[in-house]
Amino acid sequence: MATAEIPYQETVPLHHPKTWLGKYVFSQDHKVIAVQYGITAMAVGLVALVLSWLMRIQLAFPGLLEGFGPDEYLSAITMHGMIMVIYLLTAFLLGAFGNFCVPLMCGARDMVFPFVNMLSYWVYLISVILLLVVYPLMLFTDVAPTGAGWTLYPPQTITAGTPGADWGIVLMLASLAIFIVAFTMGGLNYITTILQARTRGMTLMRMPLTVWGIFIATFLGLIAFPALFVSAVMMLLDRLIGTSFFMPAIVSLGQKLEYSGGQPLLFQHLFWFFGHPEVYIVALPAFGVVSDLISVHARKNIFGYRMMVWAIVAIGILSLIVWAHHMYVAGMHPYFGFFFATTTLIIAVPTAIKVYNWTLTLWRANIKLTVPMLFALSFVLTFIMGGITGLFLGNVIIDIPLSDTYFVVAHFHMVMGVSPILAIFGGIYHWYPKLTGRMLNDTVGKIHFYFTFIGTYVIYFPMHYLGFVGVPRRYYETALGGTFPDFYPPSAHYLNIFITIAALVVGIAQLLFIYNLVHSYFKGEKASDNPWGANSLEWRTPQTPPSHGNWDERLPTVHRWAYDFGVPGHDTDHVPQDVPRKESA
Amino acid sequence: MTETTAPGNESIFTATARDWSSDVTTFKGVPWGKAMMWIFLVSDTFIFTCFLVSYMTVRMTVTDPWPNPSEVFALAIPNELFGLQFFESSIPVPLLLIAIMTFVLISSSGTMAMAVNMGYQRNKKGVVLLMVATALLGMTFVGMQIFEWSKLIIDEEVAAWQNPMGAAQFGSFFFMVTGFHGLHVSAGVAYLLIVAWRVGRGHYDHTNFEIVEITGLYWHFVDLVWVFIFALFYLW
Amino acid sequence: MATEGQQHPIKIYLLVWGLLFAFSAISYASDYLDDGVFRTSVILLFMILKAAAIVAVFMHMQWERYALIFAILLPPLALMVLMTLMAIEADYAWATRVEYMGEPIAPEPKPPPTHKPHH
Amino acid sequence: MLVALILLAVVLGSVAFNFLSPWTFLELGSNWALIDFTVLVTFVICGVAFVILGVYMAWWVYKYKYVPGRLSEYEPENPKLEARLTIVTTIGVVVMLAPGLVAWDQYVRVPPDATELEVNSEQWKWSYRLPGEDGIFGHAHNKYITFENPMGIMEGDPYAEDDIIITSQTVKIPIDRKVKVLLRSKDVLHDFWVPEIRAKMDSVPGMVTYFWFQPTLLGEFDILCAELCGRGHHTMRGEMHVVSLDEYETWLDAQVTWAEMKAGAIPLSPEAMQGRSVAESNGCFACHSLDGTRMVGPTWTNLWGSTVQMDDGTSLVVDEAYVRESIAEPGAKIREGYSSEMTPYEFSDEDIASVIDFLKSQIQEEEQVEQPESVE
Ligand code: HEA
Ligand code: HEA
Ligand code: CUA
Ligand SMILES: [Cu+2]
């Protein structure tokens, strides 16, 4: 067995375009594609952010927004949820971080199939356009965005009592199907690159955890998105040509529909067979990024690297068999509760190990409180908070009173709406110098951090208590004025107002971040090749920002893992991965 | 340079572990394109299985009767041909067309396997011929499928949303699953023809012709899916 | 790199080709059996045999390294879980339809409009 | 320093909030004390883990702050510590799961002495059915639903005749009686939920789902819909009154059986019939009731010709012009106490005329009004 096999990439010529268009728009360079993904994802993210303001304003000050009735509210939560989960988080973590980090951290010249990689972005853009086109359409036609909730449960998704049940839903499903195509093209690239195109010496057990997280997340995506794809196709057929896959005989608003015999629960199973892995698709890359940030900025090796890797793998595997914990109250087979509660709580063990290891990495470290580190620390705290509330919900009997209340809303915002977002922010502050050659402004970064961390925490933490009181989610109005009996104390309404104000403040604070990104791009302090003193390969490129092809004629050779910080007997506190062993001894 | 099978003196587990913990490439001796195709096929397996699981679920849940496919898809052998009388009356044979389609698809897999073999022998002419033959068989298959669809729609009045014999989902799943498979076959035909053309033009002369094997993987997968559709939809 | 690839004697392809024909013929013939466990087993058995032959020989799986084989064959186990659970649940949902909605238990399909049933 | 303090403040603040917050579960009104107990166990275990991890984090961030030139300790792994933590966590999980699974076992297995209550849900209201004297429900299926047969009861099913049909949004239950709730849906997913009872379950069209409970607290409780069911989801509110056995019996006696309901159907003129079907097929009854109950929109009982208050303080008599306007442009005048939930409809003159005929048919003498509550 020859281990010194020469990777193909050194023999394969890269596509070097001559024109501006080919270089920056239809580029096949993974770094440019990463930026394209990132900017697009942030732009749609802002749309979702604005929608969340509208929702919050309605909840705190009912009736303040003219023309924001129940239809608009439901459309807003649906678009908000879907954009945030799929078009922002999945696209950002895998499309942007995946593209940027995988080849650089593996020591590859580019993705294995740069052309397919480029297509992936453009198809993603099409799906985004198809998703958002309802808003301009709304002005000129009576097409409305769908208000089915991001879970899209039939039959209501395609029956008349739901806004957008005629064409809004069709656009949404079509956009999702196209997104899946885009994801598949990108995902195949990431996986193949990680498996087949690492540089010499880069064994899997030396890969930075970021790459591990992206790797397992992508794999999960490739086998989970098919379930969404299939259910989207079947629902489209139900909607457009009148098949009855998910539709039993129903009488919708006085009208007998032509459907008969379908099974609504089937959709829920398919959706969550995708949906639960999906939440880990957005969590695992964030885990990886945070592991790297903590280790680098605490100047200490990550604690228990092997356990960290196996935990990621275990979470990936287990996440495929816990899906029905979202369906405890869905009326599924009653005995499934035992199975899914058990698997769900088992998955908490590897996750807990990760949390312990992040914390233990801080122990006897030498912690630099840089902006990326602040975000990483806050990630750990919000993730613990969100994770333990997941344990409440996972324990089937506790989910019974809490399901479909604000407790669930609080859980998933803690664990998905802020933890991965914090990881993304941390990652951007961390890699921006390599990407652009300039540092982001530290002070602005810190202000942004405090607003975002404390702000989101005070938004979501109290929501758990609304859930205990019994405030249901997806309610246009939770306090129905004097005519309906109030089922929760008026004090809860003040809580709602508080949450809304916090949400507005936090949202506006994001302008600081955008300002920082733009301003520093032109005026920021020049970054050195390795400003943080990190070990992984992306900091060892000959140029900053790395040129197309990333490396010189020779690819780097890896001699160690990415976490050699504070190795005894060394004059520096870090030893990069491509420093040979004997020199280091 | 690399062996393609694990050395005999190693247990499967050590062999697997060694490959996974090795340098540069995990799947030794597997070109990038082939690795990518395999992973894509895993993803595609999930698509088809989700379709089939949905089919199972709905078929088990509906209470409307499920038509007997072997009757629905029976083909009557005509009692006369070109004016010559063969039988007293026409004879319905269950699933006849499906059986022929199955044999056609299997044969196309056979020719594809030969094409791969020719590829590794660097026999370009053989590759092109066999791939074109495969594509032709694939087209035959799609053609027969179109015939079957039209027969079902016109003669038996089955549509995706209705079925005079019982559960409407019979038609829905039939058209959806075979339609999806048919799309795969059609895409495969196009893929085969493009690759055959490029092989003929000498596009891959500097490589080892693994592109033929990659195309073959896809094509065999399409055949594989048909095995399941045949058993689970037509025979069950 | 010229030695890489999957080169195998033509003979084995022809053999598998023939086998696939035979297996298909047998599965096809199962249609003449009476419904029941035996027929179902025949269908499933030959389905699996055919699938195995295609994957192992035509797709060269049997000559691949275990690292690849496991990576391909293990993930679909998740689908087995899905399938099993969905079968259990479908049965449950069907039972509620029969028990509470008065749906018939085993209705006979109507014959196809064009020709008569033959067995 | 600042960061460590903030982390600590967040952790301790969360704990303090938990103890000081006035917002907790509503008073338990059923036998499901085991749920509350499991929540408590989970709270303790998770809370302790949260505090320990959070405090350590803050402390270490403070203690191991960057000192130039110092090296952090190089300790890639510590298998013993990791194994110990894994075991402790596993124990924690088992302790939380155990009471949960025991409770779930009770939840899914209905005691044999439970009586049945069928809850029917539709956009956006509730109705109920009791099995009657024979204790057995007649079969019902959405495909049989008509205006006269709102629950889709199967024609000629002998068990159905004595079934008690409750079209009001309010249902009464005797205290301490075990109730198995069977859930059905006419259109989309809904979820029957009384927060005090803790229990809930979705109703799924095309199948029947269930759960059971035993009320232990007298009182009137709101029934919420806890599964998104379209634009009226937030208004889908019923009432469950847990009452003494005596009161229950009186109430039950006043309810109609399926046989009585069929017999008592009041014939309508053809024009009114036409209007009714126009209203039905446009979904008006999702928001307007015909039995005096208030739903999203005002009831249609005795609406025609009555004097109604608008939210701008004016009042008017419901006449043709007003109805016409209310349908074509509902936002123009809003009834006092309602909001502009109704979307505009484009009706032909003929349709509007027929709807008006139907509205006229809904004028009832006071004593004829089907008001179950009036029994009290
Ligand atoms: C990033 C996304 C993400 C992540 C990582 C998780 C993680 C978890 N989730 Fe969450 N979840 C969502 C996103 C996510 N979830 C979303 C979006 C929804 C709602 C969808 C919708 O309906 O719209 C949801 C809903 C949801 C439900 C359904 C609720 C309902 O609708 O009724 C459940 C129920 O089981 C659940 C459980 C869990 C569990 C057990 C974990 C576990 O993985 C958590 C593990 C973490 C820890 C356990 C914390 C760390 C460990 C310690 C601090 C040590 C101490 C621990 C012990 C002593 C055991 N989640
Ligand atoms: C990643 C996921 C994510 C994120 C970040 C958010 C962010 C927010 N969400 Fe969201 N939310 C969901 C996912 C998310 N949400 C989902 C899945 C649902 C369920 C939908 C359904 O029921 O169908 C939901 C539902 C939901 C509800 C419940 C509605 C209901 O049930 O009636 C509410 C109510 O308050 C709410 C509020 C907010 C607020 C105030 C914010 C934020 O404004 C809070 C502040 C956060 C930030 C400021 C960080 C945001 C950063 C970005 C968005 C990146 C943009 C890029 C740049 C700025 C460069 N959300
Ligand atoms: Cu009914 Cu929500
Ligand atoms: Cu989940």
Side-chain angles (χ1 to χ4, degrees), chain B residues 4 19 63 94 117 208 235, chain C residues 4 8 28 39 63 65 103:
Chain B
T4 47
D19 275 8
T63 47
N117 193 285
N208 196 16
L235 292 178
Chain C
E4 278 180 13
H8 311 291
Y28 177 67
R39 176 164 180 265
W63 295 287
R65 304 173 71 90
E103 301 252 20

Side-chain angles (χ1 to χ4, degrees), chain A residues 492-505:
Chain A
H493 189 65
Y494 298 117
L495 195 57
N496 255 331
I497 295 177
F498 169 76
I499 292 174
T500 299
I501 293 169
L504 293 175
V505 172

Side-chain angles (χ1 to χ4, degrees), chain C residues 46-68:
Chain C
F46 284 94
M47 176 181 90
I48 290 166
L49 285 177
K50 276 164 70 179
I54 293 176
V55 175
V57 180
F58 281 178
M59 299 173 89
H60 301 146
M61 180 79 98
Q62 66 159 312
W63 295 287
E64 297 290 357
R65 304 173 71 90
Y66 290 117
L68 181 72

Side-chain angles (χ1 to χ4, degrees), chain A residues 501-513:
Chain A
I501 293 169
L504 293 175
V505 172
V506 176
I508 289 166
Q510 305 310 310
L511 293 177
L512 287 174
F513 177 66

Side-chain angles (χ1 to χ4, degrees), chain A residues 256 299 306-307 403 564, chain D residues 72 74 77 82 145 200:
Chain A
K256 266 202 171 135
R299 318 304 301 152
R306 268 193 299 174
M307 283 289 250
S403 181
D564 266 342
Chain D
S72 54
Y74 189 72
E77 45 199 11
E82 290 175 71
I145 289 179
K200 67 154 85 77

Side-chain angles (χ1 to χ4, degrees), chain D residues 122 124 126 189-191 225-230 233-234 236:
Chain D
E122 69 186 277
W124 290 281
W126 305 99
L189 305 175
H190 302 273
D191 191 304
C225 178
E227 185 63 75
L228 179 56
C229 54
H233 171 50
H234 62 290
M236 188 162 162

